[in-house]
């Protein structure tokens, strides 16, 4: 077959996978954005910041988290496409999902440490913690096996 067409087909498939995963991660990112907003508001209450200043802080953090979310969407698309071209889309997706789960867990656990148990009550944070730990363990195990494969490959040649 024509190698040019095969390369274009491989790039198109990697881009399609990256777009699908980016859409899913951006939706989860919007959820994290709202959770971060709630986290900031709960921290304002915990540290007894003047309630008259809350509106300004809320508006600024909403704007900053929105810009961070947009940057995350662009970066995740780039990262997923780059790894999908090399056949490692699953490892990249697991890494990005683990980061989002740790961020979500932080938004629930830190206020609970200060006595605000509103969001940390129930079993939701336990499921998030388990998911974050499992995803991180899966990602780290993949890194270790890839490193040993590259070391062994270098010794053969």
């Amino acid at each position: 077959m024509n190698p040019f067409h095969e390369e274009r087909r491989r790039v198109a498939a990697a881009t399609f996978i990256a777009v699908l995963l980016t859409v899913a991660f951006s939706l989860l990112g919007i959820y994290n954005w709202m959770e971060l907003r709630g986290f900031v508001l709960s921290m304002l209450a915990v540290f007894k910041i003047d309630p008259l200043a809350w509106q300004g802080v809320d508006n600024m953090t909403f704007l900053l988290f929105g810009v961070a979310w947009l940057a995350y969407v662009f970066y995740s698309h780039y990262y997923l496409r780059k790894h999908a071209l090399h056949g490692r889309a699953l490892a990249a997706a697991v890494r990005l999902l683990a980061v989002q789960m740790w961020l979500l867990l932080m938004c629930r656990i830190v206020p609970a440490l200060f006595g605000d148990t509103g969001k940390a009550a129930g079993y939701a944070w336990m499921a998030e913690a388990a998911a974050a730990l499992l995803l991180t363990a899966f990602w780290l195990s993949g890194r270790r096996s890839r490193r040993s494969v590259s070391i062994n490959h270098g010794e053969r040649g």
Side-chain angles (χ1 to χ4, degrees), residues 36 39 101-112 128:
L36 278 168
F39 169 72
M101 293 305 292
W102 282 112
L103 183 65
L104 187 61
L105 186 64
M106 186 239 4
C107 289
R108 295 185 189 272
I109 295 298
V110 172
E128 292 165 3

Side-chain angles (χ1 to χ4, degrees), residues 15 22 28 38 40-41 48 54 66 74 77 82 90 92 98-99 107 110 119-121 124 133 142 152-153:
T15 303
T22 300
L28 185 58
V40 168
L41 290 176
K48 302 197 182 355
W54 286 18
F74 285 130
H77 177 71
K82 182 177 86 168
L90 180 63
V99 167
C107 289
V110 172
K119 290 189 176 185
L133 286 172
N152 290 337
H153 180 68

